[in-house]
């Protein structure tokens, strides 16, 4: 029995660790943006905080279809039905791109009104619109890059998404200072000096690279599953309905969290631009620290779905429990970091500025929350893998 658990644990880590690292690299997009933007001014940090709060609400569309597709893809792949898996993958592409396009239009229309809900600082608004309009245009590309990763992970290839995300994160790190600053910090090299617009350009190029490279790989015949272009030219409502409904409870759950974030930001905004900036940095750090748990949940969810597809119910149960244990183990360094070094972390993203005691306390509270998130993330793999998402809601 012990050897069986060891074998299963190796499988969980083989699938989940690349997913975890990939999600950490994804989180680096916003973390790197926040680091360089912190060198501009506090108004720039406040601007990206407000934008990402709105963007989180839009990501509900990605969450709904993404959660559904993980369940459908992994179960059909586990059952050995390659043709059905291919069709589901193709419909995930076209349906997500459609939703992303509609979401981008809405985002562009509401963006200036959303900023004015939180601040009348003209500098914050200027920074936010420079950054937000371009990021919003590329929402369909962002959604599609996630689809590439989902298809590959659900068919057993977790390493390629990790490599794609690593390459695009490094690209973002390199391009950010070149596009943002007239003189690249700590060097004598000249940059383009585009400020917040440059940060958005760097991020959009990085997203586009991840999508184009991943889509080419799915077309090349080297991936476990090949996607056909002709399969992207129509909608299959039978599958699309499942993509919309299975993950809907998860989407509603995310909507509730997003609404709480929007309200919380409004309360914090009463204390001014500096408070908004500090909250934005604390939230980005917390989300980054939660990536190991999320990666394990996603990787293990795929394993659960594959075992349910193969009718190996006892193994699916054991995968869930082992995933919870792993989630706590891998989150422990981040928990300690939030509890013991909140001031240093926050100061790093504020250009070395001093940090208020309230902001440091918030980060310590987030450290305690991370304990429960790490355990519940592993348990969540049972629901995501089975497609039974209502209990999570």
């Amino acid at each position: 029995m012990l050897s069986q658990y060891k074998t299963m644990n190796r499988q969980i880590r083989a699938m989940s660790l690349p997913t975890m690292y990939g999600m950490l690299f994804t989180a680096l997009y916003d973390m790197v943006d926040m680091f360089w933007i912190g060198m501009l001014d506090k108004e720039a940090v406040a601007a990206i905080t407000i934008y990402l709060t709105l963007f989180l609400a839009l990501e509900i569309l990605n969450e709904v279809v993404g959660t559904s597709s993980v369940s459908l893809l992994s179960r059909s792949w586990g059952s050995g039905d390659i043709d059905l898996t291919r069709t589901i993958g193709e419909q995930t592409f076209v349906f997500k791109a459609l939703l992303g396009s509609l979401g981008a239009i809405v985002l562009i229309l509401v963006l200036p009104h959303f900023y004015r809900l939180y601040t009348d600082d003209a500098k914050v608004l200027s920074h936010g619109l420079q950054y937000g309009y371009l990021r919003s245009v590329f929402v369909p590309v962002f959604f599609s890059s996630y689809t590439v990763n989902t298809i590959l992970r659900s068919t057993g290839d977790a390493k390629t998404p990790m490599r794609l995300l690593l390459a695009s994160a490094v690209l973002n790190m390199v391009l950010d200072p070149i596009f943002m600053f007239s003189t690249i910090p700590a060097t004598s090299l000249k940059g383009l000096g585009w400020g917040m617009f440059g940060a958005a350009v760097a991020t959009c190029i990085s997203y586009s690279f991840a999508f184009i490279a991943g889509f080419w790989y799915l077309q090349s015949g080297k991936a476990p599953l090949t996607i056909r272009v002709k399969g992207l030219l129509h909608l299959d409502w039978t599958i699309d309905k499942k993509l919309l409904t299975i993950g809907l409870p998860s989407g509603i759950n995310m909507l509730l969290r997003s609404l709480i974030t929007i309200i919380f930001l409004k309360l914090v905004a009463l204390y001014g631009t500096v408070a908004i900036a500090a909250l934005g940095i604390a939230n980005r750090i917390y989300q980054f620290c939660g990536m190991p748990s999320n990666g394990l949940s996603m990787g293990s969810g795929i394993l659960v779905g594959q075992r349910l597809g193969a009718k190996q119910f006892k193994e699916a149960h054991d995968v869930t429990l082992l995933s919870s244990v792993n989630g706590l183990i891998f989150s422990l360094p981040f928990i300690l970091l939030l509890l013991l070094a909140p001031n240093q972390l926050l100061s790093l993203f504020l250009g070395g500025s001093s940090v208020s005691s309230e902001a440091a306390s918030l980060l310590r509270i987030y450290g305690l929350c991370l304990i429960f998130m790490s355990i519940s993330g592993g348990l969540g793999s049972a629901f995501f893998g089975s497609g039974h998402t209502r209990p999570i809601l």
Side-chain angles (χ1 to χ4, degrees):
M1 179 66 71
L2 183 60
S3 62
Q4 182 180 352
Y5 280 126
K6 287 182 178 179
T7 300
M8 190 176 296
N9 200 46
R10 283 196 296 270
Q11 292 174 341
I12 290 173
R13 294 190 176 189
M15 176 61 73
S16 298
L17 287 179
T19 304
M20 181 198 309
Y21 297 146
M23 295 187 75
L24 284 170
F25 298 145
T26 301
L28 278 175
Y29 280 112
D30 291 332
M31 292 288 284
V32 170
D33 277 353
M34 191 71 79
F35 174 78
W36 290 116
I37 288 170
M39 292 188 176
L40 292 175
D41 49 48
K42 64 181 183 297
E43 288 85 3
V45 177
I48 194 174
T49 298
I50 295 172
Y51 177 78
L52 292 177
T53 300
L54 179 59
F55 189 77
L56 177 65
L58 181 67
E59 276 195 287
I60 293 166
L61 300 174
N62 187 62
E63 175 76 9
V64 169
V65 181
T67 300
S68 302
S69 63
V70 167
S71 174
L72 293 172
L73 286 165
S74 59
R75 293 183 70 174
S76 61
W77 184 260
S79 69
D81 193 335
I82 306 301
D83 289 336
L84 178 59
T85 307
R86 179 180 292 109
T87 302
I88 293 170
E90 292 164 350
Q91 286 302 299
T92 303
F93 257 120
V94 67
F95 198 53
K96 261 198 190 185
L98 177 62
L99 291 177
S101 299
L102 294 173
I105 294 171
V106 173
L107 200 58
I108 290 169
L109 292 175
V110 305
L111 193 60
H113 307 288
F114 191 77
Y115 269 98
R116 292 190 182 95
L117 181 65
Y118 293 100
T119 181
D120 56 2
D121 189 320
K123 198 172 182 181
V124 173
L125 181 61
S126 175
H127 280 319
L129 296 182
Q130 286 179 40
Y131 183 87
Y133 278 137
L134 185 61
R135 277 289 305 262
S136 301
V137 169
F138 276 78
V139 166
V141 177
F142 171 75
F143 280 15
S144 296
S145 68
Y146 262 77
T147 303
V148 170
N149 298 336
T150 299
I151 291 172
L152 290 172
R153 291 191 189 107
S154 298
T155 53
D157 182 359
K159 291 185 178 180
T160 299
M162 179 188 71
R163 295 188 186 105
L164 289 171
L165 290 168
L166 173 60
S168 58
V170 171
L171 181 62
N172 191 47
M173 291 180 199
V174 173
L175 294 180
D176 257 341
I178 295 173
F179 289 160
M180 289 176 64
F181 302 99
S182 298
T183 301
I184 298 173
T187 75
S188 59
L189 299 175
K190 296 297 182 182
L192 296 176
W194 289 347
M196 287 289 283
F197 179 73
V201 172
T203 300
C204 293
I205 289 175
S206 302
Y207 280 144
S208 300
F209 167 78
F211 165 63
I212 292 170
F215 189 75
W216 172 85
Y217 182 63
L218 288 171
Q219 290 284 303
S220 67
K222 299 177 181 178
L225 186 73
T226 301
I227 297 299
R228 306 163 300 185
V229 174
K230 66 178 183 179
L232 307 177
L233 303 178
H234 69 280
L235 290 171
D236 184 332
W237 183 241
T238 303
I239 293 175
D240 295 340
K241 185 178 179 181
K242 293 179 181 179
L243 288 172
L244 196 59
T245 55
I246 292 175
L248 191 58
S250 181
I252 295 173
N253 183 28
M254 189 173 181
L255 174 62
L256 294 175
R257 287 188 282 120
S258 179
L259 289 175
I260 291 170
T261 302
I262 289 171
I263 295 170
F264 186 39
L265 181 60
K266 179 61 177 177
L267 296 175
V268 171
L270 298 175
Y271 295 90
T273 299
V274 175
I276 295 174
L279 175 65
I281 293 168
N283 284 346
R284 293 287 80 75
I285 293 172
Y286 177 55
Q287 289 172 12
F288 180 81
C289 292
M291 287 300 109
S293 175
N294 292 336
L296 278 162
S297 178
M298 185 176 294
S300 297
I302 290 168
L303 292 175
V304 168
Q306 290 175 348
R307 277 157 177 74
L308 290 175
K311 302 192 182 302
Q312 297 171 348
F313 303 115
K314 175 65 167 58
E315 287 195 11
H317 173 270
D318 293 341
V319 165
T320 301
L321 296 182
L322 285 172
S323 179
S324 296
V325 174
N326 277 289
L328 186 57
I329 291 172
F330 283 102
S331 296
L332 188 58
F334 295 100
I335 293 169
L336 294 175
L337 189 63
L338 294 181
L339 293 175
L340 301 177
N343 290 286
Q344 294 86 338
L345 284 172
L346 289 166
S347 179
L348 179 66
F349 293 94
L350 282 171
S353 302
S354 59
V355 177
S356 69
S357 59
E358 291 88 349
S361 297
L362 175 62
L363 213 54
R364 288 193 177 97
I365 292 171
Y366 281 171
L368 296 175
C369 293
L370 198 58
I371 298 172
F372 301 98
M373 178 194 284
S374 62
I375 297 172
S376 63
L379 296 176
S381 63
F383 301 100
F384 294 127
S386 65
H388 191 52
T389 54
R390 287 187 182 180
I392 291 180
L393 172 62

